[in-house]
Amino acid sequence: MIDIHTHILPEIDDGSKSLENSIEQVKFMAKNGVTDIVCTPHFIRNYWHNTAEIISEKFKQLQKAVKDENIKLHQGCEVYLDENSLQTIQNQKLNIGNTNYVLVETMMTEFPVNLFDILYQLVKANFKPILAHPERYLPIIANFELAENFMFRDIYLQVNAGSLFGKYGKKSQKTAFKMIDYGFAHFVASDNHCRNFHYPLPAAFEVISNQFDEYTANLLTQVNPAKMLQNENIPIFYLEK
Ligand SMILES: [Fe+2]
């Protein structure tokens, strides 16, 4: 499995609290069948203002510390969108590795009025935005069709593994399953904040295999993430329902 959303870099956001914590988590993930981890610390302007330089320093530190583990790290970021996101992503190279894919998030309670404008700026500049945890946003919980609206705008959708087990409440859980059912999910990832060892990705693989099929579990945790790391195109629409 390839985990494309983690807060595993030490002391940079609300994720891992120390290098030791990060190393433990990397080893734990390797033991649990993860071959590749994308490190995606938050970028929130003027709050967790993690420039590429800051991220890269932490990334190299962790990479060096786990070089003997059978697991590969990739540098990325989770960008909290605002009207200057395009410029920041370009200047700071906040995309995932050398790919055009970029992990983004926005306000949970309501969408900013200019959200689709901001995303369109990214798409026009040839980025491939991946919206983190759509099942957690209240506007999507309230209006499920909105998820598809993102797809019509060339935005990929990444469901959190923990949502499938009710980590963020019953409504997010229901929305997460529905998204997979309707083909409104391109990735399932952990969003691991390294606060405990309840690492949900292997269990998510199992539950998707059981409730849907192994093909889908593989698609969301392995096939699409591998394509993403190779900067290959991933079909936005893959299921007709
Ligand atoms: Fe996150």
Side-chain angles (χ1 to χ4, degrees):
M1 288 177 293
I2 297 172
D3 195 343
I4 73 153
H5 184 170
T6 67
H7 298 269
I8 202 158
L9 295 184
E11 299 169 290
I12 192 168
D13 61 5
D14 56 346
S16 169
K17 283 179 176 154
S18 65
L19 182 60
E20 292 65 41
N21 187 195
S22 301
I23 295 167
E24 267 180 356
Q25 288 282 334
V26 170
K27 287 182 177 174
F28 187 76
M29 288 166 75
K31 252 190 237 154
N32 278 274
V34 176
T35 60
D36 294 76
I37 301 174
V38 185
C39 307
T40 54
H42 289 287
F43 177 94
I44 302 181
R45 197 177 304 283
N46 301 326
Y47 185 63
W48 284 315
H49 201 97
N50 286 317
T51 60
E53 209 181 344
I54 297 170
I55 297 173
S56 168
E57 193 188 314
K58 297 282 183 183
F59 178 79
K60 284 177 187 156
Q61 189 187 16
L62 182 60
Q63 200 175 37
K64 196 174 161 201
V66 299
K67 67 179 187 326
D68 295 331
E69 299 302 319
N70 202 13
I71 197 160
K72 208 170 162 199
L73 304 186
H74 306 264
Q75 190 175 321
C77 185
E78 181 180 18
V79 182
Y80 191 94
L81 293 170
D82 61 31
E83 60 276 12
N84 295 316
S85 287
L86 172 61
Q87 208 186 11
T88 309
I89 291 165
Q90 282 174 327
N91 294 345
Q92 292 297 326
K93 298 192 170 36
L94 299 181
N95 42 312
I96 295 174
N98 290 321
T99 76
N100 296 65
Y101 289 90
V102 56
L103 186 67
V104 300
E105 65 173 338
T106 186
M107 210 187 291
M108 291 286 173
T109 48
E110 57 178 328
F111 286 152
V113 282
N114 57 351
L115 177 62
F116 286 133
D117 289 338
I118 297 166
L119 286 166
Y120 189 45
Q121 297 299 323
L122 300 189
V123 171
K124 272 197 292 187
N126 215 19
F127 284 110
K128 293 169 184 280
I130 303 170
L131 182 68
H133 40 65
E135 76 284 0
R136 295 188 59 199
Y137 297 109
L138 293 186
I140 291 181
I141 289 172
N143 177 14
F144 181 70
E145 281 70 36
L146 197 49
E148 196 178 24
N149 201 338
F150 281 87
M151 292 165 63
F152 281 118
R153 294 165 191 268
D154 289 339
I155 315 298
Y156 294 92
L157 302 172
Q158 176 259 304
V159 167
N160 273 8
S163 294
L164 299 172
F165 306 100
K167 182 176 178 187
Y168 312 97
K170 283 245 173 309
K171 287 178 182 169
S172 288
Q173 185 178 23
K174 201 176 150 202
T175 306
F177 275 103
K178 201 169 169 187
M179 290 186 64
I180 296 173
D181 189 28
Y182 277 67
F184 292 179
H186 306 93
F187 306 94
V188 171
S190 72
D191 199 0
N192 183 6
H193 278 71
C194 305
R195 294 300 156 109
N196 52 46
F197 285 101
H198 297 299
Y199 180 64
L201 201 57
F205 186 97
E206 286 305 312
V207 88
I208 298 167
S209 294
N210 294 336
Q211 301 242 356
F212 301 95
D213 50 56
E214 206 176 313
Y215 177 90
T216 305
N218 218 25
L219 183 76
L220 301 177
T221 62
Q222 178 67 42
V223 176
N224 283 347
K227 282 186 179 167
M228 189 273 283
L229 288 176
Q230 294 297 322
N231 203 24
E232 285 173 22
N233 194 41
I234 299 167
I236 295 252
F237 292 93
Y238 59 94
L239 189 65
E240 266 186 56
K241 197 126 175 139

